[in-house]
Amino acid sequence: MAGGEMTSHAVDSTASRPTPSPAARRLTSALALVGACVCALAVSFVVQAAPADQRVARGVTELLVVGVPIVAGLYALGSPHTVRSGAMLLSMGFAWSLTALAESDESLPYSIGRVAAWLVFPGLILLMLTFPSGVLDRGRDRALLYALCGVLTLLFLASALFVVEFPSSTPWATCTDDCPANAFMVVDREPAIVGRFLTPARELLSVLLLSGVLVSILLRWRAATPLQRRTIWPVVIASSLSVVLLAAFFVARRRGEDASTVETLGLLWGLCIPAISAAFLAGLLRRRLLLGQVLADLAGHLSSGLDVRRVRDGLASALRDPSLEVLVADGPVHWRDSDGRVGSLPAAGSGRAVTIVGAQTAPAVALVHDTGLEADQELLGAVGSLVLGTVRHHAVAMSLAGALQQLAQSRRRIAEAADHERARIERDLHDGAQQRLMALRIRLSLAEELLTTDPKTGIGAVHELGDEVERTLDEIRALAHGVYPAVLNDRGLADALRSVAADAPLPVHVQLRRLTRHSRQVETAIYFTCVEALQNAVKHAHGASGVWIAVTQDAVLSFEIRDDGAGFTPPPETGGNVPGHIGLRNMRDRLEAVGGSLVVESAPGHGTRISGRLPLD
């Protein structure tokens, strides 16, 4: 990627290491069983067919050549980010098992085994060029692969139709002068051009192209991030050794060196095949360990709370990217960096890549990093998910702390309201009913004296006392009505709201849908909220033609009180008492105390709508 470009992509916060499905686990288990059987059959065939003095060496070689790619492939299949490499390693192991047939004394199996050794090269080269992602880059790498496939097809596979016998001194067969004939030969005799030109040309081209593959790997290693270099260096070393040994083997065989030297070089080069597979496995294991180390270091930085600067420093150190930046979403379009500055994502031309984690949810996290890290989506996804999880945990913790603070304030206001209500009741009893009862007691004494001295006047006084008793009873009823209305207790919320509507000075329209009886706490909360809203409308909704009260019972109990009066500007929900709006705060406290919520909608000149919802258990 050009240095002046900027790329941006999103990573699913749950996809860094998804759990394999049962079907995937069953498939992996089946492949492991098949791989074990194939490896055992190949080793058994080689051990039985090889000369007695070479059986152990050939058996161990075949076990490594077939078994190591299969084991590495099975491990790579465990991660969705390396499943392509795993499939190629498995295919290479299964295909290489056919080389065991080169130990056969029969012409056809022997020929199949020799040709199979050539067919594995495209997969091996593809693995070298795509490790660890399994994706082949366009340009140089693709040209190298196509060139190798062309050489293999035209100079190796095609030559099998014209040669009498395959070259001796191969790591895949122990026969020397008594090897079976080539079963694929279609001409009567081998053309002279094969030995003089074709064989040297294909060996030279093979070494040159493999050297080109090695150069490509080295260039990719040089351009990789420091963290990626620590992952792919085993593959670089194994591939370099393979190319050097293959060139030495071709040269020694062409020059007719001592048979033991050629066999040794051939064996060493043959062992490079499992060595390369083992390097892939080591690279994957090392990558997993590095990923665990990075996450462990990052978790240590996150353990003391969300400090974005501390997280940024930890990530920059772990990922070997000093200019890495961590951005936390601050609204729909802005982001806050580790220094607390608010801005936008980097613009095109910054030379940086952006990975957004949790793009479909809020909050989200963006990592601004080196473009070389884009090749390791698993690492970015895991790191981003850990940071996002911490951000969300911090947001939930702050929200919970705010809710607990509001709950504490609400409880304090409810306690204060209860104290004020008790004081009001005590004051009303002392100043009203108690004074009347004391006056009644005095007048009863006077009436008693009049009945003795002036019975006629005393009887009149007793009749007057009856009227006073009625007024005292009315006052006590009114006092009790303010605490808990009798109609609400006896007949429920529906009749209680209709009773309030009937006594209101404004036209009140009550609409009830599927309303049934509920607990005293629920009915009391809705009743007094509606009464408070109605009283506010009577006092403040100047010019209102009426008030509409609607209560609906479904999965939740919802209600609204609206008017078409003057309206007002609702206060912000600050959690405290706002002067002039204590009634609204009291309504909200009543509903929140029973698990409900209240919404106030109003604007000057557009009336007022107060609505609430209570969940029904």
Side-chain angles (χ1 to χ4, degrees), residues 161-364:
L161 303 176
F162 306 102
V163 296
V164 176
E165 59 183 17
F166 293 97
S168 59
S169 301
T170 174
W172 318 121
T174 56
C175 64
T176 54
D177 299 330
D178 56 345
C179 295
N182 176 18
F184 302 129
M185 186 175 179
V186 296
V187 296
D188 295 334
R189 60 180 180 177
E190 180 178 314
I193 192 175
V194 173
R196 293 181 180 178
F197 300 105
L198 189 146
T199 301
R202 72 185 184 184
E203 293 177 353
L204 177 60
L205 287 175
S206 297
V207 172
L208 290 177
L209 289 174
L210 286 174
S211 300
V213 171
L214 178 59
V215 171
S216 178
I217 294 175
L218 291 173
L219 290 176
R220 185 151 50 94
W221 179 83
R222 182 180 180 182
T225 63
L227 191 66
Q228 291 172 329
R229 292 180 184 177
R230 297 165 66 186
T231 300
I232 64 177
W233 72 260
V235 176
V236 174
I237 293 177
S239 300
S240 303
L241 186 61
S242 172
V243 173
V244 172
L245 287 174
L246 179 61
F249 172 71
F250 283 156
V251 171
R253 189 169 65 177
R254 174 60 51 186
R255 293 176 58 183
E257 297 286 345
D258 182 72
S260 61
T261 302
V262 177
E263 290 178 3
T264 301
L265 289 173
L267 178 61
L268 291 175
W269 176 73
L271 291 176
C272 283
I273 304 302
I276 292 174
S277 301
F280 287 125
L281 179 60
L284 294 175
L285 289 172
R286 185 172 179 81
R287 181 172 177 272
R288 182 62 54 199
L289 292 174
L290 289 174
L291 178 59
Q293 180 181 351
V294 168
L295 294 180
D297 293 343
L298 181 58
H301 288 288
L302 295 174
S303 60
S304 58
L306 183 64
D307 184 345
V308 181
R309 175 182 284 276
R310 179 182 174 89
V311 172
R312 191 216 74 83
D313 293 342
L315 270 178
S317 175
L319 300 180
R320 306 294 195 275
D321 184 3
S323 58
L324 183 141
E325 183 58 84
V326 178
L327 306 178
V328 179
D330 187 12
V333 296
H334 292 99
W335 300 80
R336 188 178 298 275
D337 64 13
S338 57
D339 293 324
R341 297 187 297 265
V342 177
S344 303
L345 293 176
S350 63
R352 306 291 287 166
V354 179
T355 297
I356 301 176
V357 186
Q360 303 302 320
T361 58

Side-chain angles (χ1 to χ4, degrees), residues 362-363 390-408:
T390 303
V391 170
R392 289 179 175 173
H393 178 269
H394 179 74
V396 170
M398 294 298 293
S399 177
L400 180 60
L404 290 175
Q405 182 180 7
Q406 290 185 1
L407 178 61

Side-chain angles (χ1 to χ4, degrees), residues 421-432 434 479:
E421 188 66 15
R422 283 193 295 270
R424 183 189 67 80
I425 293 172
E426 182 181 354
R427 182 176 61 253
D428 291 347
L429 285 173
H430 179 272
D431 297 341
Q434 182 178 342
L479 180 63

